[in-house]
Amino acid sequence: MCGIFGIVKEHEGPLGETLVGAARRLAYRGYDSVGCATIDASGKIDLRKDVGKIDEVNERLNFNEMRGQRGIVQLRWATFGSPSQENAQPHLDSDGDLVGVHNGNIVNHVSLRDRFLAEGMTVRSANDGESIVHAVEHYVDRGETMVDAIRAAAQDLQGDYALIIASNDVTGSDGALHAVKSGSGLVVGIADGATCVSSDLPSILPITNKIIRLQDGEMVSLWPDRIELRRLSDGEIIEREPEVFTEGMEAAEKGGYAHFMEKEIHEQPKAAAELIHWLSASPFVPQFLDALSSARHLYFVGCGTSYHACMIGAAYFNRIANIPASPVLAPQFTETLAPILTSDDAVVFVSQSGETKDVLNALKVVRPTGAKILGVLNVIGSALMHLSDHYLPLACGYEISVPATKTFLNQVVLFLYLADKLRVHGAKIDWDEIPEIIERTLVSTKEVAREAANILNPYDEMYYLGYGLTLGVAMEGALKLKEITYAHCEGMLSSEFKHGPLSAVHDGYPILFVTAPDDAAMMVNHINEVACRGGRPIAIACEDGLLRKHVREYIPLPDVGQEIATLVAVLPLQLISYHMSIERGIDPDFPRNLSKTLTVD
Ligand code: AGP
């Protein structure tokens, strides 16, 4: 997830070190390229950028020596356009008079780019961030002031983003930095003789703790001694007093949450919205769909959480798109299925990190068979990205906590989105509604998930049961519980329970059933097998009178159909694990013995 920072100082002087310091503070968000621009008192712009980590790019380009009165730095996490020097930010307008950066996605950038080219502008990259600069250029060229040009440009830019832009004009009211918040975070800092603006607090706090948080639909202009906050829609000035931030740096990085896991759970509506925006505008999606729909057989291959997403993805493709698809654990795929592949098959390799050795081993044995290699990954620039014939990003930004949460949800969102595009059964999904349904589920299950965690917490071994589409969800919930509570939890098919594990049931023994609406009647049979032996069934399901009658506790999902209920059912399971982990005094972000990226066999 990109990060942006800008600063305006009273006197021209060394700015490079300040920008590098801010970039280091933004680095935890994840990035693959970095760039700085400074503007001196005469309006001269110095722009340096490249692919790589801050310190190595700094060593090559010497950001530290950059001087000026205004400065901008951007860390880019590639989504539109590969990680490259030309796609790195900041970007200039056609004549090099404006310089700007953004964070987020400009989803209509392909059509905007065509428009800019038709207007004779110089477009230098494939990156959507360049569109913000040309969108402003368009209005500046027609004689608008920077403020009015930015307000007008914001009407042309679609997507969730925040931007910072400046002109080399140092006359009149300019000599300012301007920033817009439209969906992505933006905070202003007010110091003595300087003001600054950033994607988030960690890069501002070493400079000042006097901050103003922007709301969506607002823009701010910054000078060394004052700021002007206004509404984008009508230009009306907004008065807002700065607040004094008293918490420490770690709290700032966690955005007010106690742990990264909690933060990442709550980022899911936003992460899904960004992915859906991206998918709807990406030229890579049609290529990916072609490869999927022309395959004789699809295999979904991954490990751990990514494998559970594969289980749900394959089931979506079978049921929705009528395409034969099988989920397989990566090492098992290497040993049993890879040898029988042909060039008519396609394999979807799924990995948050894109570096999991088990997954890369499987990929290596697929290459000689001629089967299509498709990648789904979160980390841009990873080995999986480079080794795939086609890849799609999960667009989640950096996931710090070891337990995967937002990347799992976005894996499932992505598979449902692709299956929906190839749909032959059932009604199309309204994708605009999905982020709100995710948000609603988080809000409505919050308390009841905490109560369920209290019920489960005294037990050190338990079962989560799913059926059909929800089997992968139950298994993912069980993995999350094992990972961060150190309890044993088995996720399995509810109909298999009677074939052995039923003997574990005793008085009061809790068992969690994850159910999608069409399976409620079948699930009631499986619930009864447990209930009549003294077990304590807990259901996660959309509202269903029959189910409710047969369980002790009910965690209700919004009233959505089979496919979307499967997608959101994982949210209360993530919350249950999180609460139990805290109750047990475990740090959920860094559970013992585990690592975020497993590059070993
Ligand atoms: C998930 O919470 C785990 N940390 C783990 O199972 C993980 O999903 C697995 O190691 C695969 O990682 P990947 O998605 O980066 O390939």
Side-chain angles (χ1 to χ4, degrees):
M1 201 155 59
C2 310
I4 57 179
F5 171 89
I7 187 160
V8 196
K9 286 195 163 176
E10 200 169 338
H11 303 293
E12 185 180 312
L15 264 192
E17 282 185 23
T18 308
L19 297 178
V20 168
R24 289 202 185 104
R25 295 274 179 204
L26 288 168
Y28 78 95
R29 299 163 65 93
Y31 68 103
D32 43 58
S33 60
V34 55
C36 293
T38 53
I39 308 177
D40 70 16
S42 70
K44 189 166 157 279
I45 297 176
D46 181 359
L47 169 61
R48 307 177 191 196
K49 56 183 184 174
D50 208 348
V51 175
K53 295 294 165 199
I54 299 158
D55 291 333
E56 53 189 71
V57 180
N58 187 20
E59 211 171 298
R60 270 200 311 277
L61 304 181
N62 205 352
F63 293 140
N64 282 346
E65 70 176 9
M66 294 172 79
R67 293 176 60 83
Q69 203 183 5
R70 287 174 283 168
I72 304 174
V73 60
Q74 200 262 14
L75 296 182
R76 173 169 184 250
W77 174 281
T79 46
F80 285 107
S82 60
S84 67
Q85 201 266 344
E86 63 181 11
N87 287 333
Q89 299 196 28
H91 293 289
L92 294 171
D93 73 335
S94 303
D95 300 327
D97 295 330
L98 303 175
V99 61
V101 291
H102 95 308
N103 165 27
N105 288 324
I106 307 298
V107 296
N108 60 334
H109 97 105
V110 175
S111 57
L112 282 176
R113 189 187 147 88
D114 290 345
R115 199 186 92 189
F116 300 144
L117 288 168
E119 286 179 19
M121 294 185 189
T122 306
V123 179
R124 301 176 183 89
S125 76
N127 174 237
D128 56 334
E130 191 174 345
S131 293
I132 64 130
V133 185
H134 294 304
V136 176
E137 174 185 359
H138 171 88
Y139 293 101
V140 169
D141 283 355
R142 280 154 185 76
E144 301 283 2
T145 62
M146 275 297 277
V147 167
D148 288 342
I150 292 166
R151 286 185 44 227
Q155 304 295 318
D156 297 340
L157 300 169
Q158 291 168 12
D160 288 330
Y161 64 89
L163 67 83
I164 305 175
I165 191 162
S167 144
N168 64 359
D169 183 359
V170 289
T171 59
S173 69
D174 232 290
L177 275 188
H178 305 275
V180 168
K181 172 165 164 44
S182 184
S184 298
L186 205 64
V187 190
V188 167
I190 298 169
D192 279 345
T195 59
C196 53
V197 61
S198 175
S199 302
D200 58 20
L201 279 174
S203 56
I204 289 187
L205 290 181
I207 300 167
T208 177
N209 64 353
K210 256 170 88 178
I211 61 152
I212 294 179
R213 296 173 202 269
L214 263 68
Q215 308 293 324
D216 285 334
E218 293 178 354
M219 76 171 279
V220 64
S221 304
L222 300 103
W223 293 269
D225 55 350
R226 70 191 166 94
I227 66 148
E228 254 175 33
L229 186 61
R230 50 166 57 81
R231 266 200 306 263
L232 278 170
S233 54
D234 54 9
E236 199 62 30
I237 296 284
I238 300 166
E239 299 297 339
R240 187 171 302 149
E241 284 301 309
E243 58 180 281
V244 177
F245 189 84
T246 50
E247 315 258 344
M249 185 63 73
E250 215 198 70
E253 282 177 352
K254 289 179 183 158
Y257 292 100
H259 299 94
F260 285 110
M261 182 182 181
E262 191 189 12
K263 176 172 181 259
E264 287 158 8
I265 287 173
H266 288 92
E267 277 172 357
Q268 291 178 108
K270 182 95 178 39
E274 290 200 356
L275 176 66
I276 293 163
H277 269 147
W278 190 89
L279 292 170
S280 65
S282 167
F284 301 128
V285 171
Q287 300 167 0
F288 208 91
L289 287 171
D290 273 354
L292 292 171
S293 57
S294 58
R296 183 188 64 159
H297 196 105
L298 283 180
Y299 296 94
F300 284 74
V301 175
C303 297
T305 287
S306 295
Y307 169 67
H308 298 142
C310 288
M311 293 177 69
I312 302 168
Y316 281 149
F317 272 81
N318 294 331
R319 293 172 58 121
I320 299 173
N322 225 7
I323 295 178
S326 315
V328 197
L329 280 164
Q332 198 62 3
F333 182 79
T334 308
E335 297 303 327
T336 61
L337 286 165
I340 58 154
L341 289 186
T342 74
S343 55
D344 295 332
D345 299 316
V347 187
V348 184
F349 290 99
V350 185
S351 172
Q352 184 284 130
S353 61
E355 300 288 350
T356 298
K357 180 85 182 332
D358 290 334
V359 172
L360 300 180
N361 289 347
L363 190 148
K364 223 182 269 168
V365 296
V366 169
R367 178 68 71 206
T369 69
K372 274 258 164 357
I373 295 178
L374 306 172
V376 170
L377 47 103
N378 193 43
V379 177
I380 299 296
S382 60
L384 178 56
M385 182 187 118
H386 292 300
L387 294 168
S388 300
D389 297 329
H390 303 286
Y391 76 90
L392 292 177
L394 294 168
C396 286
Y398 210 38
E399 189 176 65
I400 293 174
S401 195
V402 167
T405 52
K406 58 178 177 173
T407 53
F408 172 78
L409 189 88
N410 266 13
Q411 287 166 343
V412 181
V413 166
L414 186 139
F415 295 142
L416 183 54
Y417 185 92
L418 298 176
D420 189 47
K421 287 277 160 206
L422 300 172
R423 182 180 286 281
V424 292
H425 298 301
K428 285 267 182 210
I429 290 172
D430 179 351
W431 285 96
D432 289 343
E433 287 183 348
I434 298 296
E436 189 275 325
I437 294 173
I438 297 168
E439 176 76 54
R440 199 155 21 108
T441 311
L442 277 174
V443 172
S444 68
T445 59
K446 196 173 157 195
E447 277 318 308
V448 56
R450 193 189 292 271
E451 287 159 22
N454 289 337
I455 294 166
L456 296 175
N457 201 25
Y459 294 84
D460 265 331
E461 53 87 21
M462 57 201 97
Y463 289 90
Y464 282 1
L465 307 183
Y467 189 79
L469 278 177
T470 61
L471 174 59
V473 183
M475 289 181 65
E476 170 56 11
L479 175 67
K480 218 87 300 171
L481 200 91
K482 284 183 274 211
E483 216 177 349
I484 59 168
T485 71
Y486 310 157
H488 177 70
C489 182
E490 195 171 333
M492 63 183 291
L493 198 67
S494 57
S495 57
E496 274 290 293
F497 197 63
K498 60 181 176 290
H499 293 290
L502 189 58
S503 63
V505 173
H506 55 83
D507 243 12
Y509 185 69
I511 299 191
L512 205 141
F513 293 82
V514 190
T515 314
D518 300 352
D519 307 320
M522 174 63 86
M523 202 59 120
V524 165
N525 296 330
H526 305 152
I527 288 170
N528 275 335
E529 288 160 7
V530 166
C532 72
R533 289 171 173 86
R536 179 173 186 168
I538 303 171
I540 294 185
C542 304
E543 195 53 61
D544 182 290
L546 187 67
L547 256 185
R548 197 178 263 282
K549 251 195 239 153
H550 288 85
V551 294
R552 280 275 294 279
E553 276 82 26
Y554 205 92
I555 303 179
L557 301 174
D559 192 13
V560 289
Q562 193 81 346
E563 296 156 9
I564 300 170
T566 302
L567 172 73
V568 294
V570 76
L571 302 170
L573 293 171
Q574 295 170 344
L575 291 169
I576 289 171
S577 302
Y578 175 73
H579 291 310
M580 273 179 70
S581 181
I582 305 303
E583 276 302 307
R584 292 177 174 221
I586 295 166
D587 179 350
D589 289 337
F590 302 104
R592 71 181 178 209
N593 306 339
L594 299 180
S595 140
K596 186 77 182 158
T597 305
L598 286 162
T599 52
V600 290
D601 285 313

